[in-house]
């Protein structure tokens, strides 16, 4: 049987993507209003205002239109940096990240200090217990022996691990019995 006889069209099949509408545009190319696009993005997950503005700009929307759309979404309580901060803080805390890492991520999303403080308070997390769980998950339950020749190296490795996860120096020092310099404040 010939190639054209297999699909019954007598030639090549057209995909739905290559079809065009009455205006000559592909169906995906029809531009949505910034409000509609913002709602579509917010329907998937919460976004900060900065993140939403960036996505709207990348989608080809004008900066003024994007700002007006975000203002309207905020006025209708469809976009909220406070809600975004609370959800992100709870999510990251549940995944074992410390408060410094969460603060840094929220700041990178353009969330204000008041919303960040409220989100961390609402997360209601025992940071020392969370850090202990991370140590146990990563290294097992056994603590390094105090008198072993490589014990201080092992404690330093564990301290570095917790610091990378975003736990503060006081928590890390308490759990690893390692002196941690808090002057390098990379997350704030």
């Amino acid at each position: 049987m010939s190639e054209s006889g297999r699909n019954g069209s007598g030639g090549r099949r057209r995909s739905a993507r290559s079809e065009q509408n009455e205006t000559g545009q592909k169906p995906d190319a029809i531009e949505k209003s910034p409000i509609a696009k913002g709602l579509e993005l917010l329907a998937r997950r919460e976004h900060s205002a900065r993140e939403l503005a960036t996505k709207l700009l990348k989608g080809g929307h004008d900066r003024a239109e994007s700002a007006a759309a975000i203002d309207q979404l905020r006025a209708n309580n469809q976009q909220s940096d406070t809600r975004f901060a609370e959800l992100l803080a709870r999510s990251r805390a549940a995944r074992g990240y410390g408060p410094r890492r969460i603060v840094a991520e929220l700041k990178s999303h353009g969330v204000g200090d008041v919303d960040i403080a409220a989100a961390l308070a609402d997360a209601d997390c025992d940071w020392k217990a969370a850090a202990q769980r991370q140590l146990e998950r990563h290294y097992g339950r056994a603590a390094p022996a105090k008198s072993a020749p490589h014990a201080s190296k092992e404690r330093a490795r564990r301290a570095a691990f917790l610091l990378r996860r975003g736990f503060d120096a006081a928590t890390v020092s308490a759990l690893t019995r390692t002196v941690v310099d808090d002057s390098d404040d990379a997350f704030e």
Side-chain angles (χ1 to χ4, degrees):
M1 182 178 265
S2 71
E3 182 66 34
S4 63
R6 283 188 190 161
N7 64 19
S9 65
R12 294 191 306 190
R13 295 193 308 179
R14 291 193 310 177
S15 70
R17 290 182 191 220
S18 64
E19 293 179 16
Q20 296 179 345
N21 61 14
E22 307 83 50
T23 62
Q25 294 179 323
K26 291 182 181 179
D28 295 343
I30 298 172
E31 190 174 313
K32 296 178 182 173
S33 73
I35 293 174
K37 183 63 178 175
L39 279 172
E40 181 181 296
L41 291 167
L42 289 167
R44 293 184 191 134
R45 69 169 179 86
E46 288 290 336
H47 288 72
S48 69
R50 178 188 288 174
E51 186 179 22
L52 201 54
T54 300
K55 287 186 177 187
L56 290 174
L57 289 172
K58 283 184 181 179
H61 295 285
D62 177 81
R63 187 177 301 274
E65 285 178 332
S66 297
I70 291 169
D71 287 343
Q72 184 173 348
L73 291 169
R74 278 184 166 174
N76 295 337
N77 200 28
Q78 294 164 322
Q79 191 284 324
S80 168
D81 279 348
T82 303
R83 194 169 53 231
F84 171 78
E86 289 170 356
L87 288 171
L88 190 131
R90 273 196 305 266
S91 167
R92 296 305 185 261
R95 290 176 56 196
Y97 290 104
R100 293 178 63 187
R101 170 89 178 249
I102 295 168
V103 167
E105 188 171 354
L106 287 170
K107 283 185 177 186
S108 76
H109 284 284
V111 177
D113 291 338
V114 173
D115 289 335
I116 291 173
L120 286 177
D122 287 347
D124 194 31
C125 186
D126 179 358
W127 298 112
K128 188 173 180 179
Q132 182 65 45
R133 281 191 305 273
Q134 287 304 306
L135 278 178
E136 289 173 4
R137 182 185 65 81
H138 195 74
Y139 293 102
R141 290 197 176 267
K146 292 180 182 176
S147 61
H150 301 292
S152 63
K153 232 182 200 179
E154 179 62 23
R155 285 195 309 271
R157 280 184 54 227
R158 292 174 185 219
F161 168 74
L162 289 176
L163 289 171
R164 283 191 307 273
R165 297 289 297 185
F167 292 98
D168 60 35
T171 302
V172 172
S173 293
L175 289 174
T176 61
R177 293 188 256 327
T178 304
V179 177
V180 179
D181 182 16
D182 198 17
S183 63
D184 181 26
D185 210 354
F187 288 111
E188 293 181 32

